[in-house]
């Protein structure tokens, strides 16, 4: 057995998990790991400018690539700064490993040890219990390899999620014999089995008999890599496919059977047809309130079949008639075979006609697209310029919902957004992380001015580390989404939503050594995007838009999916 | 939250630091109502048993079981169905005694309830009583007429009836 320090054991364990990048910021309690990184040639460290962004960068990396994203911070404030990023990864089921430094478990000076409120001590295990899939704190060097293997296993299997490893400083520096292992050994962690054929047959029966079948797919389909299976299933059933916001990209939105995304700001065609369907096959979705809007009326005429790897998602929000608790890809393959045996060909013509008609009448992108500086025009132009595999990230607010409505996602893992937590400031660092994972692809953050300011300092990271991305700031001068709520639900009693023209985003970009371009017409916008796509440095495109534009249509809180309001 | 019935679930968990915290935290976070929680050793030293009573309707209970099962350190979760398990709770009750007639009354009640007197002073008696929660409630009601100075209840612990045993492989 080799002898080494805990810090070295950690790095070697990470290498064995094929970690090539760590996003982080250092500090006293994590210095031994940084010292071990000094000689490391396999792992690239990217210096974030705020730990929250380091976590978002790791998540962007994970969401774009499907690999684990790793972030690192020192104890105390470094660790607590990670918290929002970890919570974001938890709610979006992203495989992220967070490494934190910690006060020693014992030491020469006994006041400097865990539990005595030493300088920069924070109980990060306690703090993150509710927002990690699991967390660990090794007490000895020899525990580290197994712990890392187990942490990666937990983060990536079943329903993925963040795992935090808190590393007391003395455990980083102590030297001991270590044995590396790639075998996880968590007896209490069991993954769902392959689905029972009887269940699959029942589901197939329902689907084969359906007159108006519809598929609702969520982020789980992307995580399971089951997009091809969804396409096959939809073709077999001639069933339209609606995605949740998190599911965007899981089904190509230019496919004739795509209805776009469903929900509060969903595509009206999706919202309408879900309410007309007689059988709903839901895959990898937790039926969040933003997708269902009203639990009592959601798809109320449909028999519901749910496939999810997380048993706790069954009957949590929506009660279903039939549940398959298993991996989506495996389940869909079995379901496809079983359904094709039972299906009578040549039926469902009436439904297909209705689907086409609803799409044509209701889809925002099939209505007129204006030529002025409005989100719909801007985003459809951006889509045309962007390669199929170009990666979109978004911030939170109107910019995000406009992206959902107008920015078609054509491939899995090309639409990356903070779905569950709705974290302003996520999009830009996520774009940086995505670019690190997919260096040969174009990455664009569709931003709001308010959100971008929350992570703007990462411009320094992107410039210094040569990670060129594009930021399109839909600059309405306001915290637009909350302004929209004040406008429509609080009788225009605007309060605390004005951002003014501050900062000047072109100068801001330039101050960081990035490129800034302001545009005042669609043509100039297109040119700016082309310039940015060929640029070797991050480009911020400042796009002034009106401050009173609503995201429409909109389902007011409490209403059912088809009760959308607003001319669009 | 809708009110439901009291349900008992028995959970085997890894006997590690932080496990009780994560389970207790889960109940708070998910808005589940814990009535009591007891934790203790099992026949396997690395495994602890938690007996949790919750006030929940069927749907909530289903979520409780699934969410607890989902915790990484949870080995098994089982709802104990009415009539298929035995359960006990221990209570220590310090009763106020003002006149000596009261003392003999209390001693009589303790005997009827098969409790034990574990401490006596000139103006108090401390009683140990075990049983199902209803028995303890009934005894407490009686003692209220004298005045309960202090009360400590452990919450219930329970086992399924019969020879069935859960053994977790190493
Ligand atoms: C960290 C955080 N704080 C507050 C909110 C609440 N919030 C949701 S959208 C929004 C406004 C976003 O403004 P901006 O980024 O300019 O986007 P816009 O809606 O104008 O497109 C706010 C404040 C949030 N989602 N996240
Ligand atoms: Mg704005």
């Amino acid at each position: 057995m080799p002898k080494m320090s805990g810090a070295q054991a950690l790095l070697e364990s990470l290498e064995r998990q094929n970690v090539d990048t760590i996003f982080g910021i250092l500090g006293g309690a994590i210095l031994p790991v940084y010292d071990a990184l000094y000689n490391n040639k396999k792992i690239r460290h990217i210096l974030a400018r705020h730990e929250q962004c380091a976590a978002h960068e790791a998540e962007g990396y994970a969401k774009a690539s499907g690999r684990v994203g790793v972030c690192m911070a020192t104890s105390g404030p470094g660790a607590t700064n990670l918290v929002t990023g970890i919570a974001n990864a938890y709610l979006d089921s992203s495989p992220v490993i967070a490494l934190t430094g910690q006060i020693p478990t014992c030491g020469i000076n006994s006041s400097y040890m865990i539990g005595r409120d030493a300088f920069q001590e924070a109980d990060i295990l306690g703090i993150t219990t509710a927002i990690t899939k699991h967390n660990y704190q090794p007490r000895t060097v020899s525990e580290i390899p197994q712990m890392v293997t187990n942490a990666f296993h937990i983060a990536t299997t079943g329903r993925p999620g963040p795992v935090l490893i808190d590393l007391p400083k003395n455990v980083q520096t102590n030297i001991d014999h270590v044995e590396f292992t790639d075998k996880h050994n968590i007896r209490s962690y069991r993954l769902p089995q392959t689905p029972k054929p009887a269940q699959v047959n029942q589901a197939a029966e329902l689907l084969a008999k359906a007159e108006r079948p519809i598929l609702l797919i969520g982020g789980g389909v992307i995580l399971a890599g089951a997009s091809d299976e969804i396409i096959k299933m939809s073709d077999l059933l001639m069933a339209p496919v609606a995605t949740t916001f998190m599911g965007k990209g899981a089904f190509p939105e230019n496919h004739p059977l795509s209805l776009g995304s469903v929900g509060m700001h969903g595509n009206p065609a999706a919202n309408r047809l879900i309410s007309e369907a007689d059988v709903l096959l839901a895959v990898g979705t937790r039926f969040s309130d933003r997708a269902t809007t009203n639990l009592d009326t959601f798809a109320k005429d449909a028999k519901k079949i749910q496939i999810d790897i997380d048993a706790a998602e069954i009957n949590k929000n929506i009660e279903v008639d039939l549940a398959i608790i298993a991996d989506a890809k495996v389940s869909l393959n079995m379901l496809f075979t079983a359904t094709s045996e039972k299906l009578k060909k040549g039926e469902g013509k009436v439904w297909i006609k209705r689907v086409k008609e609803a799409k044509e009448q209701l889809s925002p992108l099939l209505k007129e697209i204006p030529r002025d500086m409005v989100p719909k025009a801007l985003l459809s132009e951006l889509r045309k310029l962007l390669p199929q595999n170009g990666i979109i990230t978004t911030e939170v607010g109107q910019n995000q919902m406009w992206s959902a409505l107008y920015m078609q996602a054509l491939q899995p893992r090309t639409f990356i957004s903070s779905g569950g937590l709705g974290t302003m400031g996520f999009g830009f660092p996520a774009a940086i992380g995505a670019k690190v994972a997919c260096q040969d692809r174009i990455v664009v953050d569709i931003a709001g001015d308010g959100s971008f300011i929350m992570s703007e300092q990462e411009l320094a990271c992107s410039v210094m580390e040569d990670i060129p991305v594009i930021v399109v700031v839909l600059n309405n001068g306001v915290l637009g989404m909350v302004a929209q709520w004040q406008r429509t639900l609080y009788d225009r009693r605007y309060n605390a939503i004005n951002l003014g023209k501050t900062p000047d985003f072109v100068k801001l970009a330039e101050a960081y050594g990035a490129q800034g371009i302001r545009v005042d017409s669609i043509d100039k916008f297109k040119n700016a995007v082309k310039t940015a796509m060929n640029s070797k440095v991050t480009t911020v495109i400042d796009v002034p838009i009106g401050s009173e534009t609503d995201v429409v249509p909109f389902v007011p809180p409490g209403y059912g999916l088809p009760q959308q309001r607003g001319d669009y | 939250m809708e009110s439901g019935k009291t349900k008992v679930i028995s959970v085997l968990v890894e006997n590690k630091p932080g496990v009780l915290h994560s389970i207790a935290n889960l109940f708070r976070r998910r808005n589940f109502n814990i009535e009591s929680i007891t934790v203790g050793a099992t026949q396997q030293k690395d495994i602890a048993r938690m007996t949790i009573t919750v006030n929940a309707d069927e749907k909530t209970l289903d979520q409780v079981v699934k969410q607890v099962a989902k915790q990484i350190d949870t080995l098994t979760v089982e709802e104990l169905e009415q009539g298929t398990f035995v359960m006990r709770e221990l209570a220590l009750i310090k009763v106020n005694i003002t006149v000596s007639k009261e003392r003999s009354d209390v001693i009589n009640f303790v005997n009827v309830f098969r409790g034990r007197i574990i401490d006596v002073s000139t103006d108090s008696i401390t009683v140990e009583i075990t049983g199902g929660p209803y028995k303890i409630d009934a005894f407490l009601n009686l003692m209220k007429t004298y005045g309960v100075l202090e009360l400590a209840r452990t919450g219930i612990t329970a086992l399924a009836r019969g020879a069935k045993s859960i053994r977790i492989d190493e």
Side-chain angles (χ1 to χ4, degrees):
Chain A
M1 273 195 273
K3 231 177 153 183
M4 63 181 77
S5 73
Q8 283 165 324
L10 173 77
L11 292 186
E12 192 155 337
S13 304
L14 294 175
E15 283 170 21
R16 294 173 74 101
Q17 297 291 336
N18 300 316
V19 172
D20 56 13
T21 312
I22 299 177
F23 302 90
I25 300 186
L26 67 177
I30 194 74
L31 273 178
V33 174
Y34 276 82
D35 190 54
L37 266 175
Y38 187 77
N39 288 326
N40 189 293
K41 299 211 169 48
K42 295 195 184 129
I43 300 178
R44 174 183 182 193
H45 179 269
I46 293 178
L47 181 66
R49 298 302 196 268
H50 188 295
E51 290 86 353
Q52 180 184 333
C53 292
H56 292 330
E57 279 150 14
E59 187 174 357
Y61 178 103
K63 278 179 160 167
S65 66
R67 300 196 299 271
V68 177
V70 183
C71 56
M72 181 153 71
T74 190
S75 67
T80 54
N81 268 355
L82 285 177
V83 166
T84 301
I86 295 171
N88 196 87
Y90 185 67
L91 279 184
D92 283 355
S93 308
S94 300
V96 166
I97 299 282
L99 305 167
T100 48
Q102 184 56 281
I103 300 304
T105 56
C106 60
I108 4 158
N109 172 356
S110 70
S111 74
Y112 181 48
M113 60 188 249
I114 290 181
R116 309 258 174 111
D117 300 320
F119 179 62
Q120 297 195 326
E121 175 173 1
D123 172 22
I124 201 63
L125 293 183
I127 292 169
T128 58
T129 297
I131 53 164
T132 50
K133 190 168 168 186
H134 201 53
N135 57 27
Y136 284 112
Q137 187 182 66
R139 292 299 180 122
T140 59
V141 174
S142 57
E143 286 170 71
I144 290 176
Q146 184 69 65
M147 211 169 255
V148 171
T149 300
N150 289 353
F152 274 75
H153 178 59
I154 291 170
T156 51
T157 54
R159 178 181 186 163
V163 178
L164 180 136
I165 307 177
D166 192 35
L167 300 150
K169 194 170 181 181
N170 59 323
V171 181
Q172 297 171 45
T173 48
N174 285 351
I175 291 174
D176 204 349
H177 291 286
V178 287
E179 195 176 353
F180 290 97
T181 170
D182 300 325
K183 283 210 190 75
H184 51 84
N185 68 346
I186 325 161
R187 62 176 176 180
S188 56
Y189 178 66
R190 257 157 278 145
L191 294 166
Q193 310 286 303
T194 37
K196 296 194 187 72
Q199 269 180 321
V200 174
N201 277 328
Q202 267 178 296
E205 203 86 41
L206 273 177
L207 286 168
K209 274 199 276 185
E211 285 173 5
R212 300 182 306 282
I214 197 165
L215 272 60
L216 173 66
I217 60 173
V221 170
I222 297 172
L223 291 167
S227 290
D228 290 345
E229 285 72 15
I230 291 289
I231 296 172
K232 270 172 63 187
M233 199 69 200
S234 142
D235 285 346
L236 175 72
L237 296 167
M238 293 299 278
V241 180
T243 73
T244 65
F245 180 72
M246 285 301 295
K248 248 181 105 74
F251 188 74
E253 291 186 289
N254 55 0
H255 189 288
L257 285 169
S258 165
L259 300 177
S261 60
V262 73
M264 181 176 264
H265 290 294
N267 185 322
N271 284 11
R272 190 69 64 79
L273 290 172
I274 282 214
S275 313
E276 292 176 14
D278 67 346
V279 176
L280 173 99
L281 173 62
V283 189
T285 168
R286 66 189 155 95
F287 294 110
S288 99
D289 50 299
R290 281 295 188 270
T292 54
T293 70
N294 180 317
L295 294 178
D296 299 330
T297 60
F298 176 78
K300 65 176 187 324
D301 296 333
K303 286 239 180 289
K304 300 178 189 73
I305 307 165
Q306 184 180 5
I307 300 177
D308 206 289
I309 199 155
D310 180 358
E313 287 306 340
I314 310 297
N315 295 337
K316 185 177 89 179
N317 293 335
I318 291 278
E319 299 215 6
V320 295
D321 300 279
L322 215 147
I324 297 174
I325 301 165
D327 176 76
K329 197 180 176 85
V330 176
S331 308
L332 284 166
N333 275 324
M334 288 173 71
L335 191 56
F336 181 85
T337 315
T339 311
S340 22
E341 285 163 6
K342 295 185 168 57
L343 202 68
K344 293 199 206 74
K345 285 273 177 259
E347 294 196 3
K349 292 229 169 71
V350 188
W351 178 232
I352 277 301
K353 226 180 115 210
R354 169 69 189 132
V355 170
K356 271 200 186 131
E357 171 195 274
K359 266 192 80 165
E360 275 159 24
Q361 279 173 4
L362 300 169
S363 294
L365 283 175
L366 297 177
K367 301 194 168 209
E368 199 203 325
I369 297 178
R371 292 282 311 158
D372 36 335
M373 297 279 280
V374 292
K376 187 177 185 179
L378 292 159
L379 296 181
S380 357
E381 289 303 339
L382 179 59
R383 175 71 276 173
K384 281 188 232 154
L385 292 171
L386 201 66
Q388 291 245 346
N389 72 358
I391 297 172
I392 295 292
T393 70
T394 83
E395 299 295 344
V396 170
Q398 292 185 309
N399 58 84
Q400 182 183 34
M401 292 300 112
W402 283 321
S403 303
L405 276 167
Y406 307 135
M407 194 68 205
Q408 291 195 327
L410 308 177
Q411 295 180 7
R413 301 191 181 281
T414 59
F415 189 90
I416 296 173
S417 189
S418 168
L421 198 65
T423 312
M424 289 170 70
F426 171 80
F428 180 44
I432 292 176
K435 182 73 180 182
V436 171
C438 309
Q439 296 186 9
D440 51 348
R441 285 157 69 179
I442 307 277
V443 184
V444 183
D445 171 32
I446 299 174
D449 42 346
S451 300
F452 182 51
I453 295 171
M454 290 205 183
S455 299
E456 124 227 321
Q457 78 287 341
E458 296 304 303
L459 281 167
C461 167
S462 88
V463 169
M464 274 189 55
E465 295 277 349
D466 272 325
I467 310 166
V469 298
I470 304 171
V471 183
V472 173
V473 182
L474 297 177
N475 188 352
N476 52 8
V478 285
L479 296 166
M481 185 53 96
V482 283
Q484 176 173 346
W485 281 51
Q486 289 179 349
R487 183 157 54 246
T488 49
L489 305 172
Y490 292 85
D491 202 21
R492 300 182 93 87
R493 288 160 57 84
Y494 292 125
N495 188 17
I497 47 101
N498 191 19
L499 297 167
K501 297 231 175 312
T502 311
D504 177 329
F505 285 105
V506 172
K507 284 188 187 154
L508 179 83
E510 286 167 1
Y512 280 107
Q515 175 174 222
I517 310 175
R518 181 168 301 117
V519 297
D520 57 10
S521 72
I522 291 284
D523 287 332
K524 285 187 188 151
F525 173 68
K526 283 160 68 176
N527 284 336
V529 171
K530 285 180 204 154
T531 308
M533 291 204 305
N534 291 314
S535 166
K536 292 207 158 48
V537 68
T538 287
T539 306
V540 178
I541 308 178
D542 182 19
V543 189
I545 58 168
S547 64
E548 291 221 340
T549 315
D550 282 337
V551 183
V552 277
F554 165 55
V555 182
Y559 286 79
L561 281 176
Q563 292 164 289
Q564 278 177 305
R565 298 203 182 149
D567 285 335
Y568 61 96
Chain B
M1 189 192 284
E2 267 176 74
S3 70
K5 283 211 195 98
T6 296
K7 308 271 167 49
V8 182
I9 59 173
S10 183
V11 188
L12 294 182
V13 295
E14 295 288 356
N15 194 359
K16 285 188 198 159
V19 177
L20 174 60
H21 172 241
S22 60
I23 302 266
N25 197 49
L26 170 77
F27 275 75
R28 183 195 48 72
R29 174 166 108 72
R30 297 272 175 195
N31 206 14
F32 302 143
N33 253 327
I34 302 193
E35 290 193 340
S36 73
I37 182 164
T38 61
V39 192
T42 64
Q43 75 277 19
Q44 281 171 272
K45 77 169 188 322
D46 51 350
I47 294 174
R49 180 185 301 277
M50 291 188 181
T51 308
I52 305 171
T53 54
V54 283
N55 190 282
D57 56 31
E58 282 303 323
K59 186 177 165 155
T60 311
L61 183 76
D62 178 62
Q63 266 297 304
V64 170
V65 169
K66 285 170 173 170
Q67 293 292 351
V68 172
K70 199 168 133 175
Q71 295 294 305
I72 304 293
D73 285 324
T74 299
L75 291 150
T76 64
V77 191
E78 202 182 9
E79 185 200 346
L80 298 177
E81 309 251 5
Q82 278 289 327
T84 67
F85 64 99
V86 286
M87 63 168 165
R88 288 294 179 269
E89 182 176 7
L90 168 72
L92 303 181
I93 307 157
K94 192 182 287 176
V95 187
N96 188 31
I97 302 295
T98 38
V99 289
S100 63
K101 164 83 170 62
E102 287 181 350
R103 186 183 312 277
S104 53
D105 283 359
V106 169
I107 292 172
N108 274 337
F109 283 128
V110 170
N111 287 334
V112 172
F113 277 81
R114 280 185 262 167
R116 293 201 314 155
I117 291 169
I118 53 176
D119 187 42
V120 188
S121 73
T122 46
D123 38 20
S124 75
I125 291 183
T126 301
V127 180
E128 166 201 316
I129 179 162
T130 54
Y134 294 121
K135 174 179 164 187
I136 295 176
D137 288 345
F139 182 74
L140 262 175
N141 262 334
L142 285 170
M143 291 306 109
K144 276 187 189 146
T145 47
Y146 305 96
V148 174
L149 294 172
E150 272 194 301
L151 168 66
R153 288 178 79 149
T154 59
I156 70 162
T157 189
L159 282 180
R161 288 185 183 275
K164 195 179 87 173
S165 123
I166 307 168
R167 259 210 85 83
I168 306 296
D169 297 330
E170 298 298 318

